[in-house]
Amino acid sequence: MHALISVSDKTGILEFSRELHALGIQILSTGGTAKLLADNGVPVTEVAEHTGFPEMLDGRVKTLHPKIHGGLLARRDLPEHMTAIQAHGIDTIDLLVVNLYPFEATVAKAGCTLEDAIENIDIGGPAMVRSAAKNWKDVGVLTDASQYTGVLAELKTAGKLSDKTKFSLSVAAFNRISQYDGAISDYLSRIQDDGSHALFPAQSNGRFVKLQDLRYGENPHQQAAFYRDLYPAPGSLVTAVQLQGKELSYNNIADADAAWECVKSFSEPACVIVKHANPCGVAVGVDSLEAYNKAFSTDPTSAFGGIIAVNRTIDADCAQQIAKQFVEVLMAPAYTPEALDIFKAKANVRVLQIELPKGGRTDWDNGRNAVDVKRIGSGLLMQTADNHVLAMSDLKVVSKAQPTPQQLQDLLFAWTVAKYVKSNAIVFCAKGMTMGVGAGQMSRLDSARIASIKAEHANLSLKGTAVASDAFFPFRDGLDVVVNAGATCVIQPGGSMRDAEVIAAADEHGVVMVFTGVRHFRH
């Protein structure tokens, strides 16, 4: 057997090559890889020696040769193929080990130039990988160090690779080439005539990896699967480890993402309960237990069968309280052993652990999606993600009444929650918890009324609450509804043709009104 090894990332390659040599496999290699092997006593033949043609053009041409591609592409089951390569002195290559120039890592570096990017576009590597992957019945192709252990084990026990293994390696190889080419296309198609980089590429190449097939989609007659980014952000939902419970459904995942992204917005201990994509209860507290109790009390009816996200460790006391209700999914960065023991009695509860990134909780914010995508008929809508964080200094008080420090805190809390509520969104809050949430209505008036009804059903008083509206009040009637319900301060973007009318209404009521200058539609 012959193996050709040419890798940029040399992780594990020396040990792997030694094992191949011990199995009697002859090794061909190129450049730096060949030198590494030779310097460490692994017998190796340079590709230039094998082909009789020197590496040239600063290494750009070394494996683009019939002795290489003939050895990879020749079908062993076709006599005419074997006769042809024998006539030209070409040996078969049975194992190809190639990983590509680090294009993705290069362009991710600050200050990367177009010249740097171009020089890190691999040509010979992808060509060999495609040849080997096409001829998978006769050639095993490895494109990642994680494949070394399994391949070695099979070679040691069976003396060869099974068709199943070779086909799996071939699929992985074509996937890697697709990912690589997609990264190159994305990068190059962003470059403008003046050398600047457009935010959105001229061609968008989705690079996602399937995590699992799902039982069904939003409804039982729909099929579905769950994918993650090729390089997922740390602390995102796709990095979760399921510790127990039934298989996640399509709706579970969608709602879990809504809850997790919302709870990540808070630096203090927080809990978010989501039902049908909308937060029905959000609160902060001194610990997870207090945050959960406050969030649950916002809307106990809707919380039944909800998705719960907590941004701190869940201990036994918090677990005991959560276990009293019907929960579909529970998420947290960590659990105490005692907490996990409590949930074992609720075998169907899906318990997910999403560990903190190495940089801590702030990396959750750094790891948010840069771009959001929505599928439409035969197309996509792409936009920068709504990652705007409102600071106290951004607020503009437009009413005669001035906010107290507590009102400012309540307003900022309400504004954070409103960002994750479907439009039209009206959110009543007080002292670090939601008091009533109105979501997804065609009329902002109806959202305000629904939020009031929710508070009434939960036996919560809206007197003295802060209200956030995700978009401006186009008329004073919406403001009248929330003030009559008990609100004493309101936060909204401003920007309506009738702002003066709405501000006058706030002054008439004697309530505080604050403008953010930012809208948070969420459709």
Side-chain angles (χ1 to χ4, degrees), residues 383-390 415 418-421 423-425 444 469-474 491-496 515-523:
Q383 64 175 350
T384 56
D386 186 5
N387 293 331
H388 182 271
V389 177
L390 189 69
W415 185 250
K419 178 178 172 181
Y420 296 96
V421 177
S423 302
N424 287 309
R444 195 161 299 278
S469 174
D470 63 340
F472 59 64
F473 288 101
I491 187 169
Q492 58 132 321
S496 168
F515 281 4
T516 65
V518 177
R519 188 181 74 186
H520 280 312
F521 272 162
R522 188 177 182 85
H523 290 111

Side-chain angles (χ1 to χ4, degrees), residues 200 329 466:
F200 302 105
V329 180

